[in-house]
Amino acid sequence: MAARIEHLVTSGEFSLDGGTWEVDNNVWIVGDDEEALVIDAAHDADAIAAALGGRRLLAIVSTHAHNDHVDAAPALADLTGAPILLHPADEVLWRQTHPDRQPDAPLTDGRQLTVAGTTLTVLHTPGHSPGAVSLHAPDLGAVFTGDTLFAGGPGATGRSFSSFPTIIDSIRDRLLTLPPETVVHTGHGDSTTIATESPALPAWIARGH
């Protein structure tokens, strides 16, 4: 059976720089009836484990280490035995949430993850955070962008460890170069496509952050 994409929304808090906000997060499960990857273990390890339904979890893939994207990762790892993967540049943020638990392996640019015969390639897309990554699955016509690219524009860059020029470079050079029909599955909110977002790049740059 070919890999498919499943979607779960979990709710909790995002905290950074002394502020806390209620947020809904997208959790993406990529796999088949036997095995899966989880992209961003947000808020509720039990709900994610229930959605997996006993499938073998190959890895917990973190697009970045803001607490709302990794707060449930250690608990899900404990439930499933799956390793937690994170780009090393985001370990400073990871330690703010999990000072006593390290990620298990690095997500580096160009690394390939395979599940159910489908390959996802890691694209380092910093800006929202130093170690933010996206995951491109050409066989599924999809890219998982975390908080780098949303329907309507770039992720936020007004907080610690973020950079607006850097996120623009990442989006222009690593994401908008993907096939225009590629579906963009985001960390929050609705999905979009590369073709939908590409024309707005000049406006984003002019608006700045």
Side-chain angles (χ1 to χ4, degrees):
M1 182 177 291
R4 61 183 182 270
I5 299 169
E6 299 167 45
H7 179 214
L8 177 70
V9 177
T10 58
S11 300
E13 294 183 341
F14 166 54
S15 298
L16 188 67
D17 296 340
T20 297
W21 301 266
E22 295 292 326
V23 290
D24 296 328
N25 282 65
N26 293 328
V27 180
W28 300 100
I29 300 172
V30 181
D32 59 10
D33 290 343
E34 304 297 326
E35 62 185 25
L37 296 172
V38 163
I39 300 172
D40 287 342
H43 307 307
D44 192 336
D46 290 336
I48 299 169
L52 288 166
R55 286 175 284 180
R56 182 163 62 101
L57 184 58
L58 301 184
I60 300 162
V61 183
S62 304
T63 61
H64 62 294
H66 284 152
N67 74 290
D68 59 318
H69 290 255
V70 300
D71 52 1
L76 185 61
D78 290 344
L79 286 170
T80 62
I84 301 168
L85 310 184
L86 179 73
H87 193 283
D90 257 22
E91 288 187 12
V92 62
L93 285 164
W94 171 274
R95 288 194 296 271
Q96 293 182 5
T97 304
H98 303 300
D100 301 319
R101 167 70 155 90
Q102 291 298 305
D104 297 298
L107 276 178
T108 52
D109 187 62
R111 178 173 178 178
Q112 294 188 324
L113 308 173
T114 301
V115 59
T118 298
T119 298
L120 290 80
T121 299
V122 177
L123 308 175
H124 184 208
T125 50
H128 182 68
S129 69
V133 302
S134 300
L135 299 138
H136 182 215
D139 290 348
L140 300 177
V143 62
F144 301 88
T145 57
D147 288 3
T148 296
L149 178 62
F150 290 110
T157 53
R159 303 186 180 101
S160 296
F161 307 105
S162 65
S163 165
F164 180 72
T166 302
I167 203 171
I168 288 295
D169 287 346
S170 293
I171 292 170
R172 182 186 58 231
D173 299 339
R174 307 305 305 276
L175 297 178
L176 299 187
T177 54
L178 298 176
E181 66 274 14
T182 302
V183 178
V184 179
H185 294 301
T186 62
H188 308 271
D190 295 335
S191 296
T192 182
T193 66
I194 294 297
T196 299
E197 302 307 321
S198 291
L201 179 65
W204 302 337
I205 295 171
R207 186 172 70 231
H209 271 229

